[in-house]
Amino acid sequence: MKSFNLSEWAVTHRPMVLFLIIATLVLGLASFTKLGRLEDPNFEVPTMTAVVAWPGATAQQVQDEVLNRMERELQEIDGVDYIRSFSRQGYGGLTLWMKGGTSKKLLDAAWYQARKKIGDVRGEFPDGVRGPFFNDEFTDVYTVLYALQAPELQWPELQALAEDLKRGLQSVPGVNKVDLLGRQAQQVHVEFSSRRLAALGLTPQSLIDALSRQNAMTPAGAVEGSAERTFVRISGAVRDVADIEALPIEAGGRLLRLSDVATVRDALEDPPTFTVRHNGEAVLALGVTVSRSSNQLAIGKALDARQTELQARL
């Protein structure tokens, strides 16, 4: 039997060969225009971290009463390779590793299961435990970073402006998320003199207890009527610095205001937990993360257009 000769077939079927060449060129050009253009290749990191804080607890208490409960729940997830935990004075955390080669779909399902299982056991944690705080976004890369600075504005005003700009950037097609970096939480500082408190027969804990009682959210019951039920709410919730200054403090049989024994002021967290600097000056930064399957060149042009639009409104 005569073997197939590709060269002979191509010479005798020239129209078919020409058609295949043209079809290949057309499909190649169409595919080229749709290729993703990213700085970094797509890859999956099969790990998740969970961190908890428990101020005042020993490392052994964090391990026995929090981390061990979390580990027992996570061991039930399919595809777990190993779990490694650590505990320190007042905080701890664990790292969940999945088996190598696990697909993105299965990893997403595992991260969902991890959050759900730990959420189910969250009610068994002791009072005062904060978290857990999860992180499984190790492959996110900021495509664009914007620095925002306004010397004539107060820091809270700058943060409000940054939130407005963040919403504007998030509406650009192809943008996954926008992170606001360098923001500082607003706090109310209560400053007192230990010598003055001692002279009045007070302790710092008495001030803390007064603040806790005043701002506690407790149910106050309801009034049952013939046609409806009216819920009762306790007034006096703390809304601003003036309300905190007016809190009653009992000292030696007398009723004083908190402002009589302490200085109350509204300020930002000090020191800040995270600071971003541009040319040596503290600024706010907006980090833009785009979709993995997107064309970064096209998104870059769209972001430039939105940036121009937003700057015109500042």
Side-chain angles (χ1 to χ4, degrees):
M1 183 178 178
K2 186 179 178 181
S3 61
F4 177 73
N5 190 321
L6 180 60
S7 299
E8 180 183 352
W9 182 90
V11 171
T12 56
H13 298 79
R14 294 181 62 187
M16 180 60 71
V17 174
L18 183 60
F19 169 77
L20 292 176
I21 292 175
I22 295 175
T24 303
L25 289 175
V26 171
L27 291 176
L29 291 173
S31 301
F32 180 78
T33 59
K34 296 181 180 179
L35 285 176
R37 301 180 184 180
L38 299 175
E39 286 184 299
D40 305 291
N42 290 334
F43 61 92
E44 300 299 330
V45 179
T47 182
M48 166 189 272
T49 60
V51 179
V52 296
W54 189 7
T58 64
Q60 192 63 43
Q61 287 175 320
V62 174
Q63 184 68 50
D64 294 341
E65 301 188 38
V66 180
L67 296 180
N68 286 348
R69 291 174 175 172
M70 294 169 60
E71 286 188 36
R72 286 194 293 268
E73 294 295 323
L74 295 180
Q75 287 169 355
E76 301 175 0
I77 299 176
D78 292 336
V80 172
D81 190 4
Y82 64 89
I83 301 172
R84 182 174 296 165
S85 64
F86 73 92
S87 59
R88 301 289 186 272
Q89 176 79 23
Y91 70 98
L94 57 81
T95 302
L96 168 65
W97 282 88
M98 303 296 291
K99 294 179 180 178
T102 305
S103 65
K104 182 180 186 305
K105 182 178 180 181
L106 294 179
L107 285 177
D108 291 340
W111 305 152
Y112 168 75
Q113 288 293 327
R115 287 179 168 86
K116 184 175 72 66
K117 288 182 176 294
I118 293 181
D120 292 340
V121 78
R122 179 68 179 80
E124 301 178 12
F125 291 170
D127 293 337
V129 175
R130 302 173 186 172
F133 306 101
F134 299 97
N135 182 18
D136 58 74
E137 299 176 341
F138 295 101
T139 58
D140 283 352
V141 178
Y142 292 133
T143 302
V144 182
L145 276 171
Y146 297 100
L148 185 63
Q149 185 180 24
E152 67 278 7
L153 295 181
Q154 298 294 327
W155 198 259
E157 297 174 321
L158 184 61
Q159 292 185 161
L161 179 62
E163 288 288 351
D164 183 56
L165 296 176
K166 175 181 175 180
R167 288 190 292 269
L169 293 173
Q170 280 179 328
S171 62
V172 175
V175 172
N176 266 358
K177 66 176 181 178
V178 180
D179 292 332
L180 180 56
L181 310 174
R183 66 178 306 161
Q184 299 178 27
Q186 289 185 268
Q187 298 177 343
V188 175
H189 293 189
V190 179
E191 301 168 346
F192 55 86
S193 168
S194 299
R195 183 174 300 177
R196 176 167 173 76
L197 291 183
L200 295 172
L202 295 173
T203 62
Q205 187 61 41
S206 62
L207 300 184
I208 296 174
D209 293 340
L211 289 169
S212 301
R213 288 193 305 268
Q214 187 67 22
N215 212 31
M217 297 296 294
T218 55
V223 177
E224 298 285 352
S226 57
E228 61 181 11
R229 173 187 298 174
T230 303
F231 289 94
V232 179
R233 296 187 182 277
I234 299 176
S235 62
V238 174
R239 294 181 298 272
D240 52 27
V241 174
D243 290 341
I244 297 178
E245 290 178 333
L247 288 181
I249 304 294
E250 185 178 356
R254 295 183 302 166
L255 204 60
L256 303 176
R257 291 161 48 97
L258 180 61
S259 58
D260 296 332
V261 298
T263 301
V264 182
R265 60 185 179 88
D266 192 6
L268 299 173
E269 61 176 343
D270 186 24
T273 56
F274 184 73
T275 303
V276 179
R277 296 188 182 277
H278 179 256
N279 293 332
E281 299 292 335
V283 298
L284 288 175
L286 294 170
V288 181
T289 304
V290 302
S291 172
R292 293 188 175 189
S293 60
S294 61
N295 186 327
Q296 288 203 6
L297 299 180
I299 293 182
K301 295 178 181 178
L303 286 172
D304 289 342
R306 182 57 54 86
Q307 175 186 351
T308 303
E309 177 186 340
L310 293 175
Q311 281 182 331
R313 291 170 19 198
L314 294 181

PDB file of all heavy atoms in Angstrom, residues 64 67-76:
ATOM      1  N   ASP A  64      -4.290  26.939  72.988  1.00  0.00           N
ATOM      2  CA  ASP A  64      -5.247  25.932  73.460  1.00  0.00           C
ATOM      3  C   ASP A  64      -6.700  26.327  73.192  1.00  0.00           C
ATOM      4  O   ASP A  64      -7.510  25.477  72.794  1.00  0.00           O
ATOM      5  CB  ASP A  64      -5.059  25.692  74.963  1.00  0.00           C
ATOM      6  CG  ASP A  64      -3.712  25.051  75.274  1.00  0.00           C
ATOM      7  OD1 ASP A  64      -3.110  24.482  74.338  1.00  0.00           O
ATOM      8  OD2 ASP A  64      -3.266  25.139  76.436  1.00  0.00           O
ATOM      9  N   LEU A  67      -6.461  28.625  68.600  1.00  0.00           N
ATOM     10  CA  LEU A  67      -5.845  28.035  67.423  1.00  0.00           C
ATOM     11  C   LEU A  67      -6.168  26.554  67.272  1.00  0.00           C
ATOM     12  O   LEU A  67      -6.405  26.068  66.156  1.00  0.00           O
ATOM     13  CB  LEU A  67      -4.326  28.244  67.468  1.00  0.00           C
ATOM     14  CG  LEU A  67      -3.859  29.700  67.400  1.00  0.00           C
ATOM     15  CD1 LEU A  67      -2.338  29.780  67.454  1.00  0.00           C
ATOM     16  CD2 LEU A  67      -4.369  30.382  66.143  1.00  0.00           C
ATOM     17  N   ASN A  68      -6.173  25.810  68.386  1.00  0.00           N
ATOM     18  CA  ASN A  68      -6.476  24.374  68.282  1.00  0.00           C
ATOM     19  C   ASN A  68      -7.894  24.139  67.767  1.00  0.00           C
ATOM     20  O   ASN A  68      -8.144  23.199  66.996  1.00  0.00           O
ATOM     21  CB  ASN A  68      -6.291  23.702  69.642  1.00  0.00           C
ATOM     22  CG  ASN A  68      -4.820  23.552  70.003  1.00  0.00           C
ATOM     23  OD1 ASN A  68      -3.943  23.733  69.165  1.00  0.00           O
ATOM     24  ND2 ASN A  68      -4.547  23.220  71.257  1.00  0.00           N
ATOM     25  N   ARG A  69      -8.834  24.974  68.166  1.00  0.00           N
ATOM     26  CA  ARG A  69     -10.202  24.842  67.667  1.00  0.00           C
ATOM     27  C   ARG A  69     -10.268  25.143  66.174  1.00  0.00           C
ATOM     28  O   ARG A  69     -11.000  24.484  65.427  1.00  0.00           O
ATOM     29  CB  ARG A  69     -11.126  25.781  68.445  1.00  0.00           C
ATOM     30  CG  ARG A  69     -11.331  25.370  69.905  1.00  0.00           C
ATOM     31  CD  ARG A  69     -12.122  26.400  70.676  1.00  0.00           C
ATOM     32  NE  ARG A  69     -12.403  25.944  72.034  1.00  0.00           N
ATOM     33  CZ  ARG A  69     -12.936  26.693  72.983  1.00  0.00           C
ATOM     34  NH1 ARG A  69     -13.245  27.958  72.702  1.00  0.00           N
ATOM     35  NH2 ARG A  69     -13.155  26.212  74.186  1.00  0.00           N
ATOM     36  N   MET A  70      -9.516  26.133  65.745  1.00  0.00           N
ATOM     37  CA  MET A  70      -9.496  26.456  64.322  1.00  0.00           C
ATOM     38  C   MET A  70      -8.867  25.314  63.518  1.00  0.00           C
ATOM     39  O   MET A  70      -9.356  24.943  62.450  1.00  0.00           O
ATOM     40  CB  MET A  70      -8.723  27.762  64.101  1.00  0.00           C
ATOM     41  CG  MET A  70      -9.401  28.986  64.700  1.00  0.00           C
ATOM     42  SD  MET A  70      -8.351  30.468  64.712  1.00  0.00           S
ATOM     43  CE  MET A  70      -8.020  30.667  62.966  1.00  0.00           C
ATOM     44  N   GLU A  71      -7.776  24.741  64.030  1.00  0.00           N
ATOM     45  CA  GLU A  71      -7.102  23.663  63.312  1.00  0.00           C
ATOM     46  C   GLU A  71      -8.011  22.448  63.147  1.00  0.00           C
ATOM     47  O   GLU A  71      -8.040  21.824  62.083  1.00  0.00           O
ATOM     48  CB  GLU A  71      -5.821  23.267  64.056  1.00  0.00           C
ATOM     49  CG  GLU A  71      -4.698  24.272  63.922  1.00  0.00           C
ATOM     50  CD  GLU A  71      -3.406  23.744  64.512  1.00  0.00           C
ATOM     51  OE1 GLU A  71      -3.147  22.525  64.388  1.00  0.00           O
ATOM     52  OE2 GLU A  71      -2.660  24.535  65.096  1.00  0.00           O
ATOM     53  N   ARG A  72      -8.739  22.088  64.190  1.00  0.00           N
ATOM     54  CA  ARG A  72      -9.620  20.923  64.098  1.00  0.00           C
ATOM     55  C   ARG A  72     -10.677  21.095  63.010  1.00  0.00           C
ATOM     56  O   ARG A  72     -11.042  20.138  62.328  1.00  0.00           O
ATOM     57  CB  ARG A  72     -10.282  20.657  65.449  1.00  0.00           C
ATOM     58  CG  ARG A  72      -9.359  20.060  66.490  1.00  0.00           C
ATOM     59  CD  ARG A  72     -10.135  19.523  67.670  1.00  0.00           C
ATOM     60  NE  ARG A  72     -10.774  20.588  68.421  1.00  0.00           N
ATOM     61  CZ  ARG A  72     -10.212  21.194  69.473  1.00  0.00           C
ATOM     62  NH1 ARG A  72      -9.001  20.833  69.884  1.00  0.00           N
ATOM     63  NH2 ARG A  72     -10.839  22.167  70.111  1.00  0.00           N
ATOM     64  N   GLU A  73     -11.158  22.315  62.841  1.00  0.00           N
ATOM     65  CA  GLU A  73     -12.153  22.554  61.803  1.00  0.00           C
ATOM     66  C   GLU A  73     -11.522  22.517  60.408  1.00  0.00           C
ATOM     67  O   GLU A  73     -12.100  21.969  59.475  1.00  0.00           O
ATOM     68  CB  GLU A  73     -12.820  23.924  62.029  1.00  0.00           C
ATOM     69  CG  GLU A  73     -13.652  24.008  63.294  1.00  0.00           C
ATOM     70  CD  GLU A  73     -14.862  23.099  63.257  1.00  0.00           C
ATOM     71  OE1 GLU A  73     -15.449  22.959  62.173  1.00  0.00           O
ATOM     72  OE2 GLU A  73     -15.207  22.531  64.312  1.00  0.00           O
ATOM     73  N   LEU A  74     -10.341  23.095  60.261  1.00  0.00           N
ATOM     74  CA  LEU A  74      -9.705  23.155  58.946  1.00  0.00           C
ATOM     75  C   LEU A  74      -9.228  21.800  58.459  1.00  0.00           C
ATOM     76  O   LEU A  74      -9.108  21.576  57.250  1.00  0.00           O
ATOM     77  CB  LEU A  74      -8.527  24.135  58.993  1.00  0.00           C
ATOM     78  CG  LEU A  74      -8.874  25.606  59.256  1.00  0.00           C
ATOM     79  CD1 LEU A  74      -7.614  26.459  59.280  1.00  0.00           C
ATOM     80  CD2 LEU A  74      -9.842  26.134  58.218  1.00  0.00           C
ATOM     81  N   GLN A  75      -8.949  20.875  59.369  1.00  0.00           N
ATOM     82  CA  GLN A  75      -8.491  19.547  58.962  1.00  0.00           C
ATOM     83  C   GLN A  75      -9.561  18.756  58.220  1.00  0.00           C
ATOM     84  O   GLN A  75      -9.256  17.754  57.578  1.00  0.00           O
ATOM     85  CB  GLN A  75      -8.016  18.761  60.188  1.00  0.00           C
ATOM     86  CG  GLN A  75      -6.691  19.254  60.742  1.00  0.00           C
ATOM     87  CD  GLN A  75      -6.354  18.655  62.087  1.00  0.00           C
ATOM     88  OE1 GLN A  75      -7.166  17.925  62.676  1.00  0.00           O
ATOM     89  NE2 GLN A  75      -5.172  18.954  62.600  1.00  0.00           N
ATOM     90  N   GLU A  76     -10.813  19.203  58.280  1.00  0.00           N
ATOM     91  CA  GLU A  76     -11.893  18.504  57.596  1.00  0.00           C
ATOM     92  C   GLU A  76     -12.031  18.904  56.129  1.00  0.00           C
ATOM     93  O   GLU A  76     -12.846  18.321  55.409  1.00  0.00           O
ATOM     94  CB  GLU A  76     -13.213  18.779  58.325  1.00  0.00           C
ATOM     95  CG  GLU A  76     -13.215  18.329  59.790  1.00  0.00           C
ATOM     96  CD  GLU A  76     -14.490  18.717  60.508  1.00  0.00           C
ATOM     97  OE1 GLU A  76     -15.367  19.338  59.833  1.00  0.00           O
ATOM     98  OE2 GLU A  76     -14.629  18.427  61.698  1.00  0.00           O
TER      99      GLU A  76
END
